Amino acid sequence: MTSQLFELFKHRYNKNPENTYFAPGRVNLIGEHIDYNGGLVMPCAITAGTWLLMAPNNDGLIRFASANFEEYKEFPLQQSYTKTDREWYNYPLGIFNELQNMDWKAKGLDLFYYGNIPIGSGLSSSASIEVLTAFALNDYHQLGHDQLTLVKLSKKVENEFIGVNSGIMDQFAIAFGEKDKALVLNCDSLKYKVIDCNLGDYVLAIINTNKHRELSESKYNERVEECSQALTALRKEISINYLCELNSEKFALHSHLITDEVILKRATHVVKENDRVNLAAKALNSGDLMAFGRLMYASHQSLKELYEVTGKELDAVVDFCASYPHVIGARMTGAGFGGCAIALLKKGYEEDFAKYLTDDYIAKIGYPAAIYIHDIGNGPTKL
Ligand code: GLA
């Protein structure tokens, strides 16, 4: 991989790259749409991700090129940058902007990116390129920021530069991911535990619905807003910062305050999903994969009926999984509205599963899904 990218860099910039970095993508095992509600999430980094090769230039320019996109762009060195269009280079540009806000002056740099995470598939290609750029610049220019600072600034770029009000899960999982481990992250305190993700006789299959998520950003922000309405209603009786400070029992005592039916559904998902993550962590720790799988299905059901972020493509995948004898749990992962689902699939059935799922999915949706098996990998690294 890196030798091919080396050649592409040389071809684009007529010189050798000086440094190469990698940052992973992520899947979230369970705990969906609760990071921005101060909840518990259980993501892990995957071995697919984004590579960055770079070399300095004396032209006073920051140059962005990618093997995935035709669009090439250069920016003069200046104190601040703003998002100009919807192109891919806004993510790394936002990182330059944010690092400069933290008292750094960028120097001329030629950058070349390649990612093998399908874009817009819910595996966090955007957080991967953000964390990668922050990690690489921090290392290359010896800026001295710790990993958590890089996570927070990457999230800030997503929220303020790009304009998606996402939580911290993706950037955190990418920065702190460990091989064969899942993180159990409290998104309020940012305290986390690393637990063994021992899947025994099962593999984690990732199924891409291949559904584009055109409206996902606005729908995502709409869900964030709905949760804040629920919080406002509950605060008439209780003083809380986040919905996930309530477990199901406490929530039942105050839920009458939420009079709008839709808002009540959203808040109910959030509180119950948080409870499910606690149960899922116990199940994984005790090696009870069947219980873990049941919680995955319950999570999907709630995201379908209460949070309404699945859609017919993700539901078709999870329905198929539920009918397939060698899958013990499946759910959407990430923001939803298309993108990917994950499934716990018995080892040895990968081909059989892919064949039957493909037939079933084409019959229902009209085009094929894609199936990947990735390992759980480490966070960002200099290669
Ligand atoms: C996206 C966001 C995350 C999280 C998930 C849903 O991936 O970037 O912060 O909210 O959706 O769990």
Side-chain angles (χ1 to χ4, degrees):
M1 174 71 71
T2 23
S3 60
Q4 267 166 294
L5 294 177
F6 199 92
E7 290 309 313
L8 288 171
F9 185 97
K10 264 169 71 178
H11 184 70
R12 160 62 71 183
Y13 292 119
N14 267 322
K15 60 183 168 193
N16 290 338
E18 234 173 53
N19 281 359
T20 303
Y21 297 90
F22 170 81
R26 68 97 189 89
V27 291
N28 186 21
L29 298 179
I30 193 160
E32 217 64 86
H33 281 281
I34 59 172
D35 60 344
Y36 52 85
N37 289 302
L40 275 183
V41 295
M42 201 195 285
C44 41
I46 55 176
T47 46
T50 318
W51 285 256
L52 166 60
L53 293 81
M54 60 194 211
N57 69 51
N58 293 322
D59 308 322
L61 294 172
I62 304 170
R63 298 194 174 99
F64 293 110
S66 163
N68 300 88
F69 301 98
E70 300 242 307
E71 294 78 17
Y72 161 81
K73 191 88 169 173
E74 39 188 60
F75 293 90
L77 293 172
Q78 56 196 48
Q79 190 40 48
S80 66
Y81 299 95
T82 46
K83 184 179 161 196
T84 43
D85 44 38
R86 292 176 62 87
E87 297 304 341
W88 69 273
Y89 43 75
N90 280 298
Y91 295 95
L93 183 67
I95 297 291
F96 274 86
N97 188 57
E98 204 43 57
L99 279 172
Q100 296 208 127
N101 285 341
M102 297 168 77
D103 261 359
W104 170 62
K105 243 180 162 358
K107 300 184 187 78
L109 209 53
D110 296 336
L111 302 115
F112 188 86
Y113 291 88
Y114 167 72
N116 64 353
I117 315 169
I119 313 289
S121 65
L123 303 181
S124 280
S125 53
S126 61
S128 180
I129 194 172
E130 288 159 2
V131 172
L132 171 67
T133 307
F135 180 86
L137 293 177
N138 189 50
D139 177 79
Y140 186 72
H141 292 296
Q142 308 215 323
L143 303 183
H145 297 305
D146 60 27
Q147 204 83 326
L148 187 58
T149 304
L150 301 179
V151 166
K152 287 181 179 167
L153 87 86
S154 299
K155 174 181 182 288
K156 199 166 176 219
V157 167
E158 188 79 43
N159 296 161
E160 294 173 14
F161 199 84
I162 303 295
V164 180
N165 295 327
S166 53
I168 202 161
M169 171 173 74
D170 302 346
Q171 291 82 5
F172 200 100
I174 286 165
F176 288 98
E178 289 183 26
K179 188 171 162 40
D180 298 330
K181 310 276 181 191
L183 308 181
V184 181
L185 167 67
N186 179 318
C187 296
D188 177 15
S189 66
L190 297 185
K191 293 207 170 97
Y192 72 105
K193 284 191 196 127
V194 178
I195 63 172
D196 283 335
C197 192
N198 183 356
L199 301 181
D201 288 342
Y202 290 84
V203 291
L204 189 67
I206 302 175
I207 305 109
N208 186 352
T209 60
N210 282 327
K211 153 117 196 273
H212 287 291
R213 302 187 307 169
E214 292 96 25
L215 289 174
S216 62
E217 288 179 9
S218 59
K219 284 194 198 152
Y220 184 95
N221 287 348
E222 188 183 290
R223 292 298 178 277
V224 176
E225 169 55 27
E226 287 165 345
C227 290
S228 106
Q229 287 180 37
L231 197 58
T232 307
L234 291 167
R235 280 181 177 154
K236 285 184 199 128
E237 271 178 13
I238 39 175
S239 156
I240 48 170
N241 292 320
Y242 289 111
L243 290 178
C244 289
E245 287 168 39
L246 304 174
N247 60 21
S248 298
E249 287 84 56
K250 280 196 201 137
F251 179 65
L253 296 176
H254 304 284
S255 58
H256 61 272
L257 292 168
I258 306 176
T259 49
D260 183 300
E261 206 184 306
V262 171
I263 305 296
L264 182 60
K265 285 203 309 191
R266 307 295 190 246
T268 305
H269 162 76
V270 167
V271 170
K272 296 209 162 154
E273 181 77 354
N274 199 43
D275 288 350
R276 273 190 288 272
V277 180
N278 275 313
L279 296 172
K282 282 189 194 129
L284 204 54
N285 275 329
S286 61
D288 190 349
L289 286 180
M290 297 303 276
F292 192 85
R294 284 193 295 275
L295 290 161
M296 289 172 80
Y297 281 130
S299 167
H300 187 86
Q301 194 67 12
S302 176
L303 288 156
K304 176 183 175 187
E305 286 169 4
L306 300 178
Y307 220 66
E308 298 178 280
V309 291
T310 58
K312 65 179 192 314
E313 297 81 5
L314 283 164
D315 293 339
V317 170
V318 174
D319 286 349
F320 172 79
C321 289
S323 73
Y324 183 78
H326 307 294
V327 167
I328 55 169
R331 57 183 293 279
M332 56 157 267
T333 191
F337 315 106
C340 285
I342 51 173
L344 286 183
L345 170 68
K346 186 104 187 218
K347 274 182 194 155
Y349 287 90
E350 292 86 344
E351 268 182 36
D352 186 78
F353 174 73
K355 177 182 173 323
Y356 284 103
L357 170 66
T358 303
D359 290 350
D360 185 80
Y361 189 79
I362 291 179
K364 286 185 186 145
I365 306 297
Y367 54 84
I371 294 137
Y372 328 109
I373 312 278
H374 291 302
D375 291 329
I376 297 178
N378 282 315
T381 166
K382 183 177 172 190
L383 298 172

